[in-house]
Amino acid sequence: MVIINESRCVGCAHCVPFCQMSAITALGFAKIDLDLCTNCKLCLNYCPKNAIAEG
Amino acid sequence: MYNVAIIGAGIGGLLAGASLAKQGKKVIIIEKMPYLGGRFTNLPYKGFQLSTGAVHLIPHGNRGPLAQFLQRLGLSVKIEDCKPWCTFRIRGKDYLINDVSDFNPIINLFPLIDRLRMAKILFEVKLLGLPSNEITLEEWLKNQVKDELAVKIANAFYGFALSLHINSIPAGEGILILKRVNDCKGSGVPIGGCKSIIDSLVKFIELQGGKILTKAKVVGVDIDNENITKLHVESDQISEVSANFVISDIGAKETVELVGEKYFDKNYLQKVESISPSAGVKINIASKKSFFKNGILFTPDCQRIGGLIELTTIDPSLAPQGQNLIISHQPLLSTDIKKEIEIGLEDLKSLIPSFDQDCEILLIQSYHNGWPVNRAASGLDIGSVTPLKNLFLVGDSVKEPGWIDTEGVASGVEQILEYLSKIFY
Ligand SMILES: Cc1cc2nc3c(=O)[nH]c(=O)nc-3n(C[C@H](O)[C@H](O)[C@H](O)COP(=O)(O)OP(=O)(O)OC[C@H]3O[C@@H](n4cnc5c(N)ncnc54)[C@H](O)[C@@H]3O)c2cc1C
Ligand code: SF4
Ligand code: SF4
């Protein structure tokens, strides 16, 4: 499972386009819809703040 | 052994790398992300070319330090001028500014007494120089012009351009920025978006024999006698790099953290601590309808949004055919980001009454806390030279006075290259 570290996330939304499942939305902070997320972990590479981690 | 190792492939690192490679230096650029360009490259989404940061604007068009820098390298990046430069929407009416040196359409909105005062200010600035940096632009402006429209107009302009409220801009710096705008005569859009600039820099560096690594994070350094002797790198390709000189594009605070505080004197640490970044929110909107045809629209009547631009009026390739891309920008004025975004959306709905029917919000992007709009708010930049003998800074914490955003980054890189050329042999 991937989780967003809310104290690191700035809401820049870089991760959003890289999720093929459209599981991430960003409104000040990123949120992952776990029903859509396939746990591919691609988004981890695209966060400049290192705010997405494996939970 | 490299002549120069550059940490970070943002626009600052790439400009420095390209110039040094052109001089025949053996250069390596180390970037932690899978892509190059940092906060100044495209972010493709739903067929639109959004960006990792920038609004795809070259603040001073073909005449500013960034375009001049690229020209000196011999790179042919097409920058299209915003024509007209901008429009101010004041009390629902649009005032076009065709010529940057002619603000009369707006000045005429002020009572005679304020118009006389403005003429006096202009004269004084020309004759006596810039106002002091000891007072804020807001204090200075309120002392001069009484109509509160002046504060609103200034906040729209500086909110869009610098992502700052005028109560946090030093007066001298604020006026110098305006002077630069006036000298350079308007903004431009790089055709294809910011990435076109990044791509041409990357190609150039590689052609000159420079090496660029992605997915390679510098995680520490070795130091001997106030010199960095080795960079430790986390990557699949290499684990350490040695170079005569190290240039860091990751920000002053981040550089101190990476190297270790104990290697810097108290004075320098205090200076780094005093840098405050600028924070902001960018809203990317798609629409089949076109709403804003006249360059950058500054919006003094809005609560938060300083301005917006319909980029597809200049470069239609930034959106799928038949669609328009509008990007608004606002400074982040409180820590309640959701609230700030909500206010931004209210502003948009007041600017586009049919927003709900005609517009789709593509992406809302906020920038603060270590990934800001500018690492040093204007006027608060730190110099390139550090207490370590072979470590230098580039990027948006070392902009030259009066130059904003990537114009500031380019002018800062220019300065450090000049300095390095004197000590390089
Ligand atoms: C919303 C917004 C709108 C903007 N609009 C504009 C605009 O329209 N026009 C304009 O000119 N400017 C604009 N700016 C400002 C502009 O984007 C920045 O000034 C500029 O991109 C900063 O470049 P930089 O090289 O200093 O830093 P960055 O782009 O942040 O580059 C630093 C690089 O270092 C990398 N890095 C960090 N740590 C490490 C490490 N340990 N090891 C290896 N690599 C590392 C990062 O991944 C990054 O790629 C805007 C900014 C934002 C956020
Ligand atoms: S792990 Fe994959 S599917 Fe899940 S949010 Fe990240 S990119 Fe999307
Ligand atoms: S890329 Fe990282 S910081 Fe940006 S919104 Fe996604 S999780 Fe947050």
Side-chain angles (χ1 to χ4, degrees):
Chain A
M1 200 177 72
V2 289
I3 48 170
I4 306 278
N5 178 339
E6 282 216 2
S7 65
R8 293 193 67 88
C9 173
V10 299
C12 69
H14 289 194
C15 51
V16 174
F18 293 101
C19 175
Q20 304 308 310
M21 302 308 296
S22 305
I24 316 178
T25 46
L27 198 79
F29 295 99
K31 270 216 165 70
I32 297 179
D33 183 339
L34 292 176
D35 290 338
L36 296 173
C37 174
T38 58
N39 211 16
C40 74
K41 302 195 174 65
L42 189 69
C43 53
L44 265 67
N45 302 316
Y46 288 93
C47 174
K49 286 285 290 166
N50 214 355
I52 316 179
E54 294 178 56
Chain B
M1 182 82 172
Y2 289 90
N3 295 129
V4 186
I6 298 174
I7 313 175
I11 182 92
L14 292 172
L15 287 173
S19 293
L20 291 163
K22 191 182 178 197
Q23 293 167 18
K25 304 289 182 291
K26 209 174 156 212
V27 173
I28 183 167
I29 305 180
I30 308 159
E31 168 58 50
K32 70 173 183 180
M33 299 296 285
Y35 59 86
L36 302 165
R39 282 168 289 152
F40 196 74
T41 191
N42 294 14
L43 185 66
Y45 188 46
K46 297 186 176 174
F48 292 81
Q49 296 298 327
L50 309 186
S51 106
T52 53
V55 185
H56 292 309
L57 274 170
I58 309 295
H60 299 321
N62 283 297
R63 297 148 302 268
L66 177 59
Q68 302 282 315
F69 199 116
L70 299 171
Q71 274 168 31
R72 276 197 302 277
L73 288 172
L75 300 181
S76 56
V77 179
K78 189 157 193 289
I79 299 170
E80 192 75 34
D81 282 335
C82 301
K83 274 191 211 139
W85 171 49
C86 73
T87 304
F88 280 81
R89 184 167 293 179
I90 298 166
R91 298 172 199 134
K93 198 162 172 256
D94 283 356
Y95 298 88
L96 262 63
I97 306 293
N98 282 302
D99 178 352
V100 170
S101 54
D102 181 10
F103 274 88
N104 281 330
I106 292 177
I107 291 171
N108 288 339
L109 294 172
F110 286 84
L112 180 64
I113 175 90
D114 280 337
R115 295 209 304 269
L116 290 172
R117 284 200 189 103
M118 285 182 209
K120 181 171 158 270
I121 300 174
L122 207 66
F123 183 72
E124 278 174 3
V125 168
K126 273 192 185 145
L127 200 73
L128 306 170
L130 299 168
S132 157
N133 270 333
E134 299 299 312
I135 61 168
T136 71
L137 189 55
E138 183 173 41
E139 287 167 310
W140 181 81
L141 190 63
K142 281 185 169 167
N143 280 340
Q144 318 275 350
V145 183
K146 296 300 162 208
D147 193 319
E148 62 176 39
L149 180 61
V151 168
K152 283 188 175 176
I153 290 176
N155 267 325
F157 171 76
Y158 292 97
F160 185 74
L162 309 180
S163 214
L164 290 171
H165 189 279
I166 58 167
N167 65 15
S168 49
I169 301 171
E173 176 72 7
I175 299 304
L176 184 58
I177 287 168
L178 272 191
K179 185 178 174 309
R180 306 276 203 223
V181 170
N182 188 48
D183 292 348
C184 296
K185 309 216 174 310
S187 312
V189 173
I191 299 304
C194 323
K195 186 168 184 286
S196 65
I197 293 179
I198 299 301
D199 284 349
S200 67
L201 282 169
V202 168
K203 199 169 142 204
F204 180 85
I205 293 166
E206 289 179 338
L207 269 175
Q208 304 286 329
K211 198 172 164 74
I212 305 178
L213 304 178
T214 53
K215 294 194 217 170
K217 184 176 183 180
V218 179
V219 288
V221 302
D222 287 352
I223 296 199
D224 183 34
N225 191 19
E226 296 179 354
N227 270 295
I228 295 183
T229 53
K230 199 181 276 170
L231 301 178
H232 296 278
V233 182
E234 249 175 38
S235 81
D236 295 344
Q237 305 150 69
I238 50 171
S239 58
E240 48 182 57
V241 169
S242 300
N244 304 111
F245 292 95
V246 176
I247 293 179
S248 172
D249 182 36
I250 69 173
K253 274 183 196 161
E254 290 77 1
T255 304
V256 165
E257 235 166 73
L258 177 71
V259 171
E261 269 192 19
K262 63 176 180 212
Y263 296 107
F264 298 91
D265 56 71
K266 231 188 180 161
N267 231 337
Y268 190 75
L269 289 176
Q270 255 170 14
K271 238 166 62 176
V272 170
E273 206 41 54
S274 70
I275 306 179
S276 73
S278 64
V281 174
K282 191 175 73 169
I283 304 180
N284 302 272
I285 303 140
S287 176
K288 288 207 170 77
K289 283 197 184 154
S290 172
F291 294 98
F292 309 103
K293 293 196 172 69
N294 293 316
I296 302 168
L297 178 74
F298 291 107
T299 53
D301 294 338
C302 284
Q303 306 167 77
R304 289 295 190 278
I305 289 181
L308 54 75
I309 179 162
E310 188 172 307
L311 285 154
T312 33
T313 58
I314 297 164
D315 182 3
S317 78
L318 296 173
Q321 208 165 17
Q323 295 262 17
N324 299 298
L325 172 62
I326 301 164
I327 304 186
S328 71
H329 188 83
Q330 66 192 82
L332 197 57
L333 299 184
S334 80
T335 51
D336 189 343
I337 300 166
K338 279 204 171 142
K339 182 90 195 294
E340 294 293 315
I341 292 173
E342 262 169 41
I343 303 176
L345 290 172
E346 273 173 31
D347 282 342
L348 282 170
K349 286 176 190 174
S350 75
L351 291 165
I352 310 175
S354 64
F355 189 86
D356 289 335
Q357 296 89 313
D358 291 330
C359 299
E360 179 197 349
I361 298 169
L362 291 167
L363 214 55
I364 299 176
Q365 301 175 277
S366 46
Y367 293 82
H368 58 109
N369 184 21
W371 198 238
V373 177
N374 277 303
R375 288 210 186 84
S378 281
L380 302 172
D381 300 71
I382 190 171
S384 291
V385 179
T386 72
L388 292 184
K389 287 183 205 150
N390 69 342
L391 171 68
F392 302 92
L393 304 180
V394 293
D396 60 3
S397 40
V398 286
K399 302 181 298 303
E400 285 292 297
W403 294 115
I404 60 175
D405 297 326
T406 51
E407 305 290 8
V409 174
S411 64
V413 172
E414 223 170 276
Q415 292 287 319
I416 194 59
L417 289 172
E418 226 183 276
Y419 182 88
L420 276 178
S421 71
K422 285 183 200 138
I423 54 172
F424 237 132
Y425 40 85

